[in-house]
């Protein structure tokens, strides 16, 4: 797998526009299967995870055409009630999001269990419970989920946890069921809202999305449509932290300020200058060492778990002790050991990490274990003295498009080195 070679301790300067949201693109690509007619999706980021999702759609018989850079037309007419390939589900858990559409299209689905990953066991019990509340008979057989949906009906689904994926899968199935389905304790993430906008354009009536109670009035036959994906708030947050950790000054363009409020507020708390230029552009500048603060990741609109690792890298350089509590995933601290190789001092106690800030980090050979851990190591390398090599860049390419090029355009000294 390729690696990044970074020469650190250089302030980032300039401006960067973020790309389409990975976590909006994946469910919306899956949702195109809900109808026989084609849909065209714009502003799709060119990421490994997106390519995997396209492979999943094609493995089920859909045809996917590249219309332009970032624009794809999906022709789902020839969709077959096939099983998505295990290796694709294993490679990317979000492939499980085709389950709702398959149940809706064929009244049945047989999908491999996604299994766990580096950040946790990632169960799907809430997806299955949600389907069951809508009349789907679900059984599990040697690593597969089998769902029978001949007798689907509208109803009320309560999610024990506001799971993003479960909300999305249930919403997609409900979008084809006449009558009123209520999803209580639904996820409020902006990417769920983006999916709801797409489903509404297809003909479903959805209200309350973005709150904890979503009401879906579905229609048996939905229509394909054209849609432009929202931009990626986590990519934007990552660049904001990059500006802060390198004591630079960067304008980050393209994401609604409100969607990043929790991250921007925390940056201000540690002494970063954050200036809202307009609704979609923010200036982030830092001159001195960050102060310590405490972070608790929560479902939206709380501090996003997908920004926890990146913010930890910043707090490793703070002038004090910070406590980071990860409430969303049970083991999302794999980046700690790698940050310690760069001189960070972090003590993990269960779901909390105590970060004792140090004056400086030093470059080292480190390895990315998952997408956001990899991003955190790149940020630490940008700030560290000397050279850092981040191995396992494939993890980073899953969620960041041309990260090294974008950082280099801001003055970072970073290059991609393919395996010798
Ligand atoms: C989505 O994952 C995102 N992925 C994740 O982003 C993100 O971290 C996560 O939401 C939380 O915001 C995509 O949207 C493709 P969840 P998802 O279901 O849907 C538990 C990234 O870096 N849970 O909200 O899988 C689960 O174990 C990725 O871009 C159940 O217990 O997240 C976890 O502890 C990483 N049972 C918590 O809920 C279930 O049936 C949150 O999971 C489902 C989830």
């Amino acid at each position: 797998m390729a690696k990044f070679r970074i020469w650190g301790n250089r302030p980032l300067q300039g401006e960067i526009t973020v790309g389409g949201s990975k976590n909006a693109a994946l469910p919306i690509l899956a949702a195109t299967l809900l109808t026989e007619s084609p849909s065209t999706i714009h502003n799709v980021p060119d990421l490994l995870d997106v390519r995997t999702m396209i492979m999943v759609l094609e493995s089920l018989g859909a045809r996917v055409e590249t219309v332009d850079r970032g624009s794809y037309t999906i022709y789902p007419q020839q969709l077959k009630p096939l099983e998505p390939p295990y290796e694709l589900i294993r490679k990317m858990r979000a492939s499980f999001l085709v389950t709702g559409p398959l149940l809706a299209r064929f009244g049945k689905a047989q999908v491999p269990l996604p299994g766990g990953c580096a950040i946790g066991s990632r169960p799907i019990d809430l997806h299955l419970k949600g389907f069951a509340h809508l009349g789907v008979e679900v059984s599990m057989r040697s690593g597969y989920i089998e769902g029978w949906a001949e007798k689907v009906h509208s109803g009320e689904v309560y999610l024990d946890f506001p799971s993003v994926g479960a909300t999305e899968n249930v919403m997609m199935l409900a979008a084809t069921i006449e009558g009123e389905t209520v999803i209580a304790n639904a996820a409020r993430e902006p990417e769920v809202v983006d999916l709801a906008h797409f489903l509404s354009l297809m003909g479903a009536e959805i209200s309350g999305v973005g709150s904890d109670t979503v009401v879906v009035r579905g229609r048996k036959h939905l229509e394909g449509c054209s849609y432009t994906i929202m931009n990626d708030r986590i990519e934007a947050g990552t660049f904001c932290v990059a500006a802060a950790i390198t004591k630079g000054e960067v304008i980050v363009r393209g994401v609604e300020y409100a969607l990043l409020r929790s991250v921007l507020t925390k940056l201000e708390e540690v002494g970063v200058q954050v200036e809202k230029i307009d609704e979609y552009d923010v200036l982030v500048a830092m001159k001195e060492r960050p102060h310590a603060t405490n972070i608790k990741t929560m479902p939206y609109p709380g501090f996003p778990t997908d920004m926890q690792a990146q913010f930890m890298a910043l707090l490793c350089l703070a002038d004090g002790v910070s406590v980071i509590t990860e409430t969303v995933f049970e083991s999302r601290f794999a980046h700690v050991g790698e940050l310690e190789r760069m001189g960070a001092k972090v003590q993990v106690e269960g779901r909390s990490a105590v970060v004792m800030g140090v004056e400086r980090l030093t470059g080292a050979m480190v390895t990315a274990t998952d997408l956001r851990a990899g991003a955190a190591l790149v940020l630490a390398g940008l700030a560290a003295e000397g050279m850092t090599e981040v191995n396992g860049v494939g993890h980073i390419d899953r969620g960041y498009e041309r990260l090294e090029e974008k950082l280099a355009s801001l003055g970072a000294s970073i290059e991609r080195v393919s395996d010798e």
Side-chain angles (χ1 to χ4, degrees):
M1 210 187 259
K3 56 190 167 193
F4 284 152
R5 194 168 285 156
I6 304 165
W7 284 268
N9 205 8
R10 298 162 66 107
L12 297 189
Q13 309 279 341
E15 56 180 80
I16 188 83
T17 300
V18 295
S21 161
K22 167 177 84 79
N23 290 350
L26 296 176
I28 288 170
L29 286 169
T32 62
L33 302 183
L34 285 166
T35 174
E36 289 194 359
S37 53
S39 294
T40 298
I41 313 295
H42 301 287
N43 197 34
V44 178
D46 181 16
L47 302 169
L48 292 186
D49 275 6
V50 166
R51 293 182 196 173
T52 302
M53 181 57 89
I54 288 171
M55 285 161 69
V56 171
L57 303 188
E58 289 173 332
S59 74
L60 295 169
R63 188 160 58 84
V64 181
E65 222 172 72
T66 304
V67 178
D68 198 345
R69 182 178 164 72
S71 293
Y72 298 90
T73 298
I74 293 92
Y75 298 90
Q77 195 177 14
Q78 306 301 326
L79 198 71
K80 301 178 186 66
L82 298 170
E83 228 172 76
Y86 170 69
E87 62 277 2
L88 291 181
I89 297 263
R90 184 88 194 100
K91 191 168 154 192
M92 187 192 60
R93 303 173 26 75
S95 318
F96 194 74
L97 288 170
V98 299
T99 308
L102 288 173
L103 288 169
R105 275 291 288 277
F106 301 112
K108 63 180 179 179
Q110 182 161 306
V111 183
L113 268 167
C117 73
I119 62 176
S121 61
R122 308 292 293 274
I124 49 154
D125 57 313
L126 299 179
H127 298 239
L128 304 182
K129 227 165 100 178
F131 291 147
H133 279 255
L134 301 182
V136 177
E137 283 164 47
V138 175
S139 63
M140 216 173 290
R141 186 176 57 77
S142 54
Y144 284 84
I145 297 294
E146 281 186 344
W148 304 95
E150 285 92 357
K151 300 194 288 298
V152 280
H153 53 71
S154 57
E156 167 136 347
V157 172
Y158 169 76
L159 297 176
D160 302 54
F161 182 89
S163 153
V164 169
T167 303
E168 291 169 342
N169 238 333
V170 170
M171 202 159 67
M172 286 189 279
L173 176 58
T176 63
I177 301 174
E178 308 208 336
E180 184 175 282
T181 293
V182 177
I183 307 174
N185 199 24
R188 299 169 56 182
E189 272 70 2
E191 295 75 22
V192 175
V193 176
D194 217 28
L195 171 63
H197 289 163
F198 178 65
L199 295 172
S200 302
L201 269 184
M202 294 178 87
E205 264 179 61
I206 302 180
S207 57
V209 68
S211 79
D212 61 5
T213 306
V214 175
V215 180
V216 183
R217 288 178 193 78
R219 266 181 36 188
K220 191 79 194 94
H221 295 291
L222 299 173
E223 287 303 318
C225 59
S226 285
Y227 192 73
T228 299
I229 302 276
M230 65 181 280
N231 279 346
D232 195 315
R233 63 189 168 104
I234 304 300
E235 184 189 17
T238 304
F239 284 119
C240 291
V241 175
I245 202 170
T246 58
K247 296 197 182 76
E249 181 167 324
V250 176
I251 295 178
V252 180
R253 296 189 182 284
V255 170
E256 203 181 328
Y257 185 92
L259 303 192
L260 264 181
R261 193 185 306 281
S262 59
V263 175
L264 297 175
T265 305
K266 278 292 168 186
L267 283 172
E268 287 181 309
E269 247 177 55
V270 303
V272 179
Q273 180 199 344
V274 174
E275 204 182 301
K276 181 178 177 181
I277 297 175
D278 57 40
E279 209 40 53
Y280 285 85
D281 304 316
V282 66
L283 178 140
V284 177
M286 184 65 162
K287 296 275 177 292
E288 71 274 352
R289 194 176 169 191
H291 308 310
T293 187
N294 296 332
I295 302 248
K296 186 173 183 183
T297 66
M298 295 292 280
Y300 193 86
F303 189 94
T305 175
D306 291 348
M307 281 299 303
Q308 180 258 105
Q310 298 92 308
F311 217 96
M312 181 186 286
L314 177 64
L315 294 176
C316 285
L317 289 165
D319 59 1
V321 178
S322 307
V323 178
I324 299 178
T325 304
E326 172 56 62
T327 72
V328 177
F329 287 104
E330 70 267 26
S331 61
R332 199 171 195 175
F333 288 134
H335 41 286
V336 167
E338 298 305 298
L339 288 169
E340 286 178 318
R341 291 174 50 74
M342 301 176 72
K345 293 207 178 334
V346 185
Q347 182 67 37
V348 175
E349 309 280 347
R351 287 208 171 199
S352 290
V354 179
V355 183
M356 285 71 73
V358 294
E359 289 262 347
R360 66 184 59 76
L361 295 173
T362 48
M365 301 273 281
V366 290
T367 300
T369 49
D370 63 84
L371 165 56
R372 308 302 174 184
L377 295 173
V378 170
L379 298 181
L382 292 173
E385 291 185 354
M387 197 264 277
T388 296
E389 282 197 352
V390 180
N391 294 284
V393 166
H395 289 289
I396 299 173
D397 291 339
R398 289 188 57 173
Y400 291 93
E401 188 177 343
R402 300 178 294 108
L403 181 61
E404 75 276 20
E405 289 176 26
K406 293 181 178 179
L407 289 171
S409 75
L410 295 171
S413 176
I414 178 171
E415 61 179 10
R416 180 185 291 258
V417 180
S418 51
D419 276 345
E420 276 95 12

